[in-house]
Amino acid sequence: MAHPHSLHESVGILGISGGSLLLLVNNYASSPVKDFIPHTAFGILLLIIAVLLAYAGICRSLSHAQLFSSVCLTVSALWCGSGLVHILVGQGVLQPSELRASLVPGLAAFTLALLIIGCVAIAVKKPVLFLIAFGISLACAHQIAGLFAAGFGQSATAANYLLVCLVGVYFGFGRLLSTITHGKVEPPGTGLKKKAELETEQNQCSDAVSVCLVMNLLSASVLACPLLGVVPRLFVGHVPWLWTAGVFQLGMCVLFYRAMDTLAATFYGFTAILKFAEGYSALLSFYSIQPLSPVPFPAVFSVLFSILAVFSCQKSLMEGIYQLFFVAYCIAIAAQPQGFFQGGTQGVQGAIFVISAGMLLITTFNMVSATKIPTGQGCFKALVARIQGLSLRAHDKELHAPHLGYSKYADAEVLGHACSVLAAFAITATVGDRNPLSVLVLPWVVVAGGGLQLLCGSVAFARGKTFESTVFTLYGVMWAVWGLTRYGGLYGDTRGFQVAVGIMCFMLFNCLVTVAALFLNVAWFAYAFTFQLILISFLLDAVGALPYGYDIGVTIIFGLVSFYCFLAHIFNSTFQAPQMPLGKPLVKLSGVGGGADVCPHVPARKASSVQQIAEIMKNGGICGMPTDTVYVLVAACNRPDAVIKAYNVKKQAQDRPMSLWISSIKQLEPVRHLLSPLLLDFMEAAWPSSISMVIPRGPWMDTFGLGDAAKHIGTPQSIAIRNPDCSVATHLINMVGPIAVTSANPTGEADTTHHNQVYAKLGKKVDGVLCDGPSPENIASTVVDCTKIETGYIGFFRVGLIPKSKVFQIFEEVQMRHGHGQINPAFENEVHPSDIKRDKISPEQSPVLRNK
């Protein structure tokens, strides 16, 4: 079967080849008078190929094939922007004469970007990627020449795309040959990286950084071209490039959160907002509207960029300096009322174009090369070390440990609160008697307050942060709806009951959020309460009873509270001490959120933590423990009082008895003579694993010191016993002795899959929790009936993590070693290996041998 990495790389290379073939045919067959493929059809085809390339690039990014991912995503953005421009021409939004002014800024940016990536590829001996990047770069350059001089450059463009097609055919032939020969024949440049080589690459999501830098290069090119006279002005033909850049940067934000890089996700979330605002301004020119940029908002944006630049220096000094250019850009927007259309703003974008090109070269080279270009890493750490009282936080997995359930994402509170700051200060702008669209407020409120907050809500939800995800989602919807209504021209002069009812519904939801915030901390309560004041201002505006200045006052208050939350989260995630206070819960309840203060919650990876839990259990305590499946509640068998306590805490139903766990079969040595030899061999072959065995009850249980508590383990006839495949659990059992086990949830509820859920579900009666984050599996163990094992029969009470076929395979091998001539009746639908030897059946038809 083809490896998924091979599939994704093949999709990427063949997608580039397909797009190049399309462009080759169109450029070769078109004339200055008539295009071979109509603009609309041509644009749609390019968009389809761009989507395939984006898919391949993201999949390879997740597998750390970073240079290939950068090429795929860059080419995807190129063809996405080009395709949208051609669709606009085909639909009559743009005139054919405007095609040159629309395409040139974008093509110029990608010419340079792909040239840089191609140079890095040849430097690290990647000939296939070099030829692809260099070929498409030359094609873009010749296409620009053809746009300026009709008839010139089209043949050269076609020739360059022919080169890319040939490289794609070579790669496809190489992969096919490698697959047919099982890797014995592999043409140069067509082999995939081995696993060991992939692990040596940086797991910093550097390919996403490269793509985001290309998008900054793209938007800077679009805005700098009018200043240089390359195009007459910023107009609707540039919207596809700018919004493509914004969409790609939002997509990269998700990858940054997966890579646990909160600072990069926040920065490129900010730059994505700028891209959408630039595109929105260019779009308004189609309606002959010249938007005015309100001063407060860009000034606030520059402050956020400044703070982010300082904290980004902990990654590298170069990163912090780069972000300062965007501080200058926001100040330029604030200083000039026409914003993106004036020379000062466009001049700063020219500087950003140059610095982005340099950053792209350095970042891409450092991503794939063993020799690194110095970027000032360690300067921030050295500076902090000289400041007394400051200590940096260690960026380990505990920093972004998920709260409830499994998560691969970092915290998104920094970006979420920053977006609230931006949205709040944006709506302080007054429209007056002007057209609402003429004041540049809509993109700041809808994109920052709406779109990005919804993204932050999704990330918080994936992390199990139910409250935070609810807040960001609710507020994101509110900012989007209110922004479109109030500043999108939909509101007009209408004031009435319908609008007021909608706002009152949001107020009701936010009342619940405010009450919930009482149980979290003071900062969240202030955040929710001040947003309620904003909703009141919306309601008063809807009914025409808004006091003068009230709306501006409450939005500034909310903006300042959001700013404090933004600063506190970014500061506290950077420094171990001191910490900016967020306040304690105003109301406390037992259960959720208070567990760590009531009983020890200790990390499972530390031997001292396991020792601490073992001492608690030896003294009669009951504890939550991670396993190879879900979390369980455990008690030492030699402490009958603890076993009874665990049974009562669990509110165990009669049909759900407790089970017995051991760390190895050696713990059964004292009772070995009382157990069946076949059963003991089956245990030795099957364990450690996620297999529980139900065996006959007998006097052998008296050796574990259960006393009267023995009645709570198993049934009067049988007992379930297991040796878990979990190093933490077996180490604890080694220290305590055999343990009585039950699932860490009240009977009838879902299994517990995270250590925080143990206390939340069982309350103060738990004496300690061994914390190991999310469960590796959300499926329970397989329970095998071994009560009649001597007759050659095993059954199943529950099929869990281990499939039936695997259990049957193990048992049959044990039977054969014992020389039993009979076959387990459960194997009647299975296949005996002797049938295969006698040529009665092929190995492919045997479920037993397929699992070997």
Side-chain angles (χ1 to χ4, degrees), residues 554-838:
V554 295
T555 50
I556 290 176
I557 293 172
F558 175 74
L560 292 175
V561 171
S562 301
F563 179 76
Y564 180 84
C565 292
F566 160 77
L567 193 58
H569 279 90
I570 196 172
F571 187 91
N572 294 345
S573 64
T574 302
F575 297 106
Q576 186 73 41
Q579 294 269 290
M580 290 183 65
L582 292 172
K584 295 182 178 180
L586 297 174
V587 178
K588 288 187 178 181
L589 287 179
S590 62
V592 179
D597 299 327
V598 178
C599 69
H601 281 58
V602 291
R605 70 176 187 275
K606 293 183 178 180
S608 59
S609 300
V610 180
Q611 175 70 39
Q612 183 179 352
I613 295 296
E615 290 300 322
I616 292 173
M617 293 177 65
K618 288 177 182 177
N619 292 324
I622 59 174
C623 299
M625 180 185 76
T627 68
D628 48 343
T629 53
V630 295
Y631 277 79
V632 294
L633 187 65
V634 298
C637 286
N638 56 13
R639 294 301 303 255
D641 53 332
V643 176
I644 296 170
K645 180 181 177 182
Y647 183 86
N648 293 332
V649 167
K650 178 68 164 37
K651 299 176 183 177
Q652 199 80 15
Q654 293 300 320
D655 59 342
R656 297 287 181 90
M658 300 176 77
S659 59
L660 177 72
W661 283 20
I662 57 175
S663 61
S664 73
I665 200 167
K666 290 181 181 179
Q667 289 188 327
L668 294 177
E669 197 64 35
V671 297
R672 189 179 186 92
H673 62 285
L674 299 175
L675 299 174
S676 158
L678 178 61
L679 174 62
L680 288 169
D681 281 358
F682 184 42
M683 288 177 174
E684 195 159 358
W687 288 342
S689 69
S690 300
I691 297 175
S692 297
M693 298 185 188
V694 177
I695 62 177
R697 197 182 188 95
W700 58 272
M701 287 186 62
D702 298 337
T703 61
F704 297 126
L706 283 162
D708 293 337
K711 63 184 179 182
H712 296 308
I713 299 181
T715 66
Q717 295 79 31
S718 61
I719 179 175
I721 187 169
R722 183 179 164 204
N723 175 196
D725 187 13
C726 174
S727 57
V728 173
T730 52
H731 183 43
L732 181 63
I733 300 170
N734 269 332
M735 300 175 73
V736 176
I739 58 175
V741 178
T742 183
S743 57
N745 56 276
T747 303
E749 292 190 11
D751 289 326
T752 301
T753 57
H754 196 277
H755 59 253
N756 281 347
Q757 295 177 351
V758 176
Y759 185 84
K761 292 182 176 183
L762 299 179
K764 295 181 180 179
K765 296 176 182 177
V766 180
D767 299 306
V769 180
L770 202 53
C771 305
D772 195 35
S775 300
E777 301 288 346
N778 290 337
I779 306 173
S781 63
T782 296
V783 183
V784 182
D785 180 6
C786 298
T787 54
K788 300 178 182 178
I789 194 169
E790 280 301 309
T791 65
Y793 174 85
I794 60 172
F796 292 85
F797 289 110
R798 178 180 69 201
V799 178
L801 189 60
I802 308 298
K804 279 186 178 182
S805 58
K806 183 66 176 176
V807 179
F808 285 150
Q809 173 191 339
I810 296 169
F811 183 58
E812 184 178 12
E813 290 172 352
V814 172
Q815 276 188 311
M816 292 177 69
R817 285 201 302 269
H818 271 256
H820 284 213
Q822 62 193 30
I823 298 177
N824 186 342
F827 289 123
E828 289 177 356
N829 295 324
E830 301 288 330
V831 180
H832 199 281
S834 59
D835 291 336
I836 298 167
K837 293 178 183 177
R838 291 192 289 268

Side-chain angles (χ1 to χ4, degrees), residues 311-391:
F311 284 95
S312 294
C313 288
Q314 64 183 292
K315 296 170 64 181
S316 72
L317 191 60
M318 183 184 71
E319 187 81 19
I321 293 172
Y322 177 64
Q323 294 182 13
L324 288 177
F325 280 82
F326 288 87
V327 176
Y329 182 52
C330 291
I331 293 172
I333 298 171
Q336 298 185 308
Q338 298 300 323
F340 307 115
F341 294 91
Q342 292 192 267
T345 307
Q346 294 172 352
V348 176
Q349 278 286 21
I352 290 175
F353 181 87
V354 176
I355 192 68
S356 295
M359 285 283 294
L360 176 62
L361 175 62
I362 294 170
T363 302
T364 310
F365 182 81
N366 288 350
M367 175 177 71
V368 293
S369 174
T371 306
K372 307 296 181 186
I373 299 173
T375 59
Q377 287 183 333
C379 295
F380 186 85
K381 188 175 182 180
L383 178 62
V384 170
R386 293 174 178 269
I387 302 175
Q388 190 174 3
L390 272 183
S391 62

Side-chain angles (χ1 to χ4, degrees), residues 292 429-439 486 492-493 495:
L292 298 173
T430 54
V431 176
D433 297 330
R434 291 172 292 190
N435 183 342
L437 296 176
S438 66
V439 181
R486 184 71 182 85
D493 297 325
R495 301 289 190 276

Side-chain angles (χ1 to χ4, degrees), residues 188-218:
T190 63
L192 299 179
K193 286 191 176 182
K194 304 295 187 249
K195 185 176 180 180
E197 295 176 20
L198 288 173
E199 289 173 352
T200 61
E201 288 194 344
Q202 294 181 353
N203 189 17
Q204 299 290 328
C205 220
S206 298
D207 53 334
V209 175
S210 296
V211 174
C212 286
L213 289 170
V214 172
M215 298 304 107
N216 284 342
L217 196 72
L218 172 59

Side-chain angles (χ1 to χ4, degrees), residues 171-357:
F171 179 85
F173 173 75
R175 293 307 310 152
L176 180 63
L177 194 61
S178 176
T179 303
I180 292 173
T181 61
H182 301 286
K184 294 178 181 177
V185 179
E186 204 169 67
T190 63
L192 299 179
K193 286 191 176 182
K194 304 295 187 249
K195 185 176 180 180
E197 295 176 20
L198 288 173
E199 289 173 352
T200 61
E201 288 194 344
Q202 294 181 353
N203 189 17
Q204 299 290 328
C205 220
S206 298
D207 53 334
V209 175
S210 296
V211 174
C212 286
L213 289 170
V214 172
M215 298 304 107
N216 284 342
L217 196 72
L218 172 59
S219 64
S221 174
V222 170
L223 266 80
C225 278
L227 179 67
L228 300 174
V230 179
V231 297
R233 68 189 187 286
L234 187 67
F235 73 112
V236 69
H238 299 142
V239 174
W241 295 116
L242 294 169
W243 283 2
T244 294
V247 169
F248 270 74
Q249 286 193 335
L250 285 183
M252 294 305 103
C253 278
V254 178
L255 292 184
F256 287 128
Y257 280 123
R258 283 182 67 94
M260 303 297 168
D261 193 344
T262 303
L263 293 172
T266 305
F267 172 65
Y268 290 108
F270 284 175
T271 57
I273 297 170
L274 290 172
K275 306 294 182 291
F276 284 107
E278 293 159 1
Y280 174 75
S281 299
L283 180 64
L284 289 182
S285 65
F286 181 74
Y287 301 100
S288 302
I289 297 175
Q290 188 74 34
L292 298 173
S293 179
V295 174
F297 176 81
V300 172
F301 214 167
S302 67
V303 173
L304 295 180
F305 266 121
S306 302
I307 294 170
L308 192 59
V310 171
F311 284 95
S312 294
C313 288
Q314 64 183 292
K315 296 170 64 181
S316 72
L317 191 60
M318 183 184 71
E319 187 81 19
I321 293 172
Y322 177 64
Q323 294 182 13
L324 288 177
F325 280 82
F326 288 87
V327 176
Y329 182 52
C330 291
I331 293 172
I333 298 171
Q336 298 185 308
Q338 298 300 323
F340 307 115
F341 294 91
Q342 292 192 267
T345 307
Q346 294 172 352
V348 176
Q349 278 286 21
I352 290 175
F353 181 87
V354 176
I355 192 68
S356 295

Side-chain angles (χ1 to χ4, degrees), residues 424-589:
F425 280 96
I427 65 170
T428 58
T430 54
V431 176
D433 297 330
R434 291 172 292 190
N435 183 342
L437 296 176
S438 66
V439 181
L440 196 62
V441 174
L442 191 61
W444 310 129
V445 177
V446 174
V447 177
L452 262 73
Q453 284 224 36
L454 291 174
L455 174 66
C456 294
S458 300
V459 173
F461 182 80
R463 289 182 47 70
K465 289 192 165 185
T466 310
F467 175 79
E468 289 84 345
S469 65
T470 302
V471 173
F472 289 138
T473 302
L474 177 66
Y475 292 7
V477 171
M478 185 64 215
W479 284 124
V481 170
W482 181 253
L484 289 170
T485 304
R486 184 71 182 85
Y487 297 99
L490 304 178
Y491 204 5
D493 297 325
T494 306
R495 301 289 190 276
F497 177 73
Q498 292 84 355
V499 177
V501 169
I503 296 171
M504 289 171 68
C505 291
F506 275 103
M507 289 178 65
L508 178 61
F509 282 119
N510 194 57
C511 283
L512 300 176
V513 169
T514 306
V515 172
L518 291 169
F519 301 93
L520 203 58
N521 56 47
V522 175
W524 273 109
F525 173 74
Y527 183 77
F529 180 74
T530 50
F531 190 77
Q532 188 76 354
L533 299 179
I534 291 181
L535 291 175
I536 292 172
S537 75
F538 293 166
L539 178 62
L540 294 174
D541 186 39
V543 297
L546 181 65
Y548 178 77
Y550 173 80
D551 55 340
I552 296 177
V554 295
T555 50
I556 290 176
I557 293 172
F558 175 74
L560 292 175
V561 171
S562 301
F563 179 76
Y564 180 84
C565 292
F566 160 77
L567 193 58
H569 279 90
I570 196 172
F571 187 91
N572 294 345
S573 64
T574 302
F575 297 106
Q576 186 73 41
Q579 294 269 290
M580 290 183 65
L582 292 172
K584 295 182 178 180
L586 297 174
V587 178
K588 288 187 178 181
L589 287 179

